Amino acid sequence: MKNKVIATAFAASIAATGAQAQQTIEMTSSFSANLPILGTAGVDFKNRINSISTEVEFEHFDPGKLVPTLEALDAVSNGSVDAAYATSGYWQGKIPSASLFAAVPFGPEAGEFLGWILYDDGAALWQEMYDQAGYDVKVMPCGVIAPETSGWFKNEINSTADLEGLNMRFFGLGAEVMQRLGVSTSLLAAGDIFPALERGAIDATEFSMPLIDARLGFHKIAKFNYFPGWHQPSTLFELIVNIDVWDDLSEMAQSQIETACLANVTTNLAEGEAKNFAAMVENQEKNGVTIKQWPPEMLDQFEAAWNEVAAELASEDAHFKKTWDDLQEYRAGYKTWVQNIYMPRDR
C-alpha cells in the first residue's frame, strides 16, 4: 500500500511538472474565426499545433480582442502579444518590401511562390527584412491561397478612365498601381469594409476570394465583380512570433510549430481551390452579380503601372531591390519549367 501511494504521488508530480512546462502562446489573428479560408486557417493552425505538441499550447484571438489587425506586428515585436497569424502585406506602410512576401502584382502563383520561399532565397530574405527593419520577430510561412478577385464595383468599368476619382479599399502593392491610375486607396480590415461601402466612404473594394467576399456581403452593394486577380495571383500568410518567446522554446517545440504551419499551407490552399466556384455560381444566380473579365488592354495598363512602381521602389529601398532582383532571377529560371511542363488551360 505504501508503494502504491508513493507511485501515485510520483505520477501526480510528473503530471504537474509537465503541465507547468507547457507554454501558452497567445496568438492574434488578422482574420475572424468565422471567415472562411482566411479565418479558418488561423483556427486550423491552432488546432493542429495543439494536437501534436505537449510543450506549447496556442490560444487564438480574433482581430481586436488583443490588438487591431494593423497593429499586430508592433504588438508581437514589443512583446505585448506572443504571436500573430497575418499577412505581411498589412505592413506595407511600415516596410517597403513587406508585400513582396505577401502578394506580388503579376507575380508568382502559389506553387511558384512557395518554391521561392522554401527552396530558394525567399525565407531568408523574409526574415532579413524584419531583422533589418528592427522588428523582434521570427517569421515563417503558414498559409497560401490562389488568386483573389480584383474588385467589386457599383458600376461597370470599361476603361481606366472609369477608375479615376474612385475611393477604393485596396491591399498591398496593388494599391500603389491603382493610385497611379487615379484611384484613392485605403487599407481597411475585413470588418470595416462593408460599413464603408454602405455609407459611401468607399466606392469599390477588393478583399479576397468569392466565398470570403460573399460572407462579408459586398454583393449587396457592388454588383460587378472583376477577374482575374492581377494584384494577388497568390497570397502568402505568415506566423510571426516574438523573438524572445521563440528563443525560449525547445528545438522540438520550434519544429512542431514549423511543421504545423507547413501542414496549414496545404489545407489552406486546398480549401480555397475547392470552395470558390460554388460561391461564384451563387453570386451570379442568386445575388445578381455580374462577373467581368478585365480586357487585355486594361491588364496591360495595370502591368505597365506596376512595372513603374516596382522600379521606383527598388530605386528607393535597398532591401526591396535585393528581394525584387532575387525573385525576378528565380522567376526567369522557373519559366523553363512552367512553359514546358503544364498542359494548356483550354484543353
Side-chain angles (χ1 to χ4, degrees):
M1 182 66 179
K2 182 177 179 181
N3 289 340
K4 183 178 180 180
V5 170
I6 292 172
T8 301
F10 180 73
S13 174
I14 292 295
T17 301
Q20 290 170 359
Q22 190 175 47
Q23 182 171 344
T24 298
I25 296 179
E26 293 185 340
M27 181 187 76
T28 183
S29 176
S30 292
F31 312 100
S32 297
N34 63 358
L35 199 60
I37 304 171
L38 296 183
T40 52
V43 176
D44 287 348
F45 165 74
K46 182 263 294 184
N47 291 338
R48 185 168 284 117
I49 182 61
N50 290 351
S51 73
I52 65 173
S53 181
T54 58
E55 298 195 30
V56 294
E57 181 176 27
F58 274 69
E59 292 185 0
H60 174 283
F61 293 88
D62 272 358
K65 296 295 184 182
L66 298 179
V67 291
T69 296
L70 301 182
E71 297 177 19
L73 174 60
D74 290 320
V76 174
S77 180
N78 67 33
S80 57
V81 176
D82 297 325
Y85 181 86
T87 179
S88 61
Y90 279 144
W91 330 134
Q92 183 65 36
K94 304 173 185 289
I95 312 172
S97 53
S99 284
L100 292 177
F101 304 96
V104 182
F106 298 94
E109 295 182 0
E112 183 181 3
F113 211 174
L114 289 171
W116 177 63
I117 291 290
L118 297 175
Y119 287 95
D120 201 75
D121 298 325
L125 288 165
W126 200 355
Q127 184 64 58
E128 180 182 273
M129 175 189 77
Y130 284 124
D131 293 344
Q132 289 186 358
Y135 288 97
D136 294 325
V137 299
K138 166 68 178 178
V139 64
M140 67 199 76
C142 207
V144 71
I145 59 174
E148 300 188 345
T149 85
S150 62
W152 293 82
F153 297 85
K154 297 176 182 178
N155 300 304
E156 191 170 357
I157 305 297
N158 295 307
S159 70
T160 53
D162 294 333
L163 295 171
E164 293 178 14
L166 291 182
N167 294 313
M168 187 173 184
R169 186 274 182 195
F170 222 93
F171 174 83
L173 292 167
E176 303 278 347
V177 173
M178 296 301 278
Q179 289 168 21
R180 300 241 166 180
L181 299 174
V183 179
S184 177
T185 68
S186 56
L187 181 60
L188 302 176
D192 297 326
I193 300 172
F194 184 86
L197 273 174
E198 191 172 38
R199 67 176 185 268
I202 57 175
D203 306 303
T205 189
E206 63 75 43
F207 183 65
S208 193
M209 295 173 138
L211 179 62
I212 301 164
D213 292 349
R215 178 66 61 88
L216 295 172
F218 302 155
H219 61 272
K220 297 176 183 177
I221 298 174
K223 295 294 187 179
F224 295 93
N225 189 199
Y226 278 78
F227 294 78
W230 57 267
H231 67 305
Q232 289 181 257
S234 63
T235 307
L236 195 62
F237 300 91
E238 65 184 6
L239 179 71
I240 50 174
V241 183
N242 175 270
I243 196 64
D244 291 332
V245 172
W246 180 259
D247 288 344
D248 283 344
L249 297 174
S250 68
E251 289 186 9
M252 176 68 77
Q254 292 175 353
S255 179
Q256 288 168 340
I257 292 169
E258 290 170 338
T259 299
C261 270
L262 288 175
N264 214 55
V265 166
T266 304
T267 53
N268 191 208
L269 178 61
E271 185 181 10
E273 293 283 55
K275 293 183 176 179
N276 277 290
F277 55 83
M280 292 179 71
V281 171
E282 183 170 348
N283 273 337
Q284 289 178 294
E285 296 182 354
K286 294 184 178 180
N287 297 330
V289 171
T290 300
I291 291 177
K292 302 285 291 184
Q293 289 282 323
W294 293 116
E297 60 270 19
M298 288 191 70
L299 287 174
D300 288 344
Q301 289 173 296
F302 291 144
E303 187 168 18
W306 161 241
N307 288 334
E308 291 177 3
V309 168
E312 287 189 13
L313 289 171
S315 70
E316 295 167 357
D317 184 83
H319 191 268
F320 186 100
K321 179 177 179 4
K322 180 179 180 180
T323 303
W324 179 244
D325 288 349
D326 191 275
L327 179 58
Q328 293 301 96
E329 181 182 0
Y330 169 80
R331 298 198 73 201
Y334 183 81
K335 276 186 179 179
T336 303
W337 166 252
V338 74
Q339 290 178 346
N340 288 283
I341 197 63
Y342 289 112
M343 291 285 287
R345 290 285 178 93
D346 57 354
R347 282 192 61 85

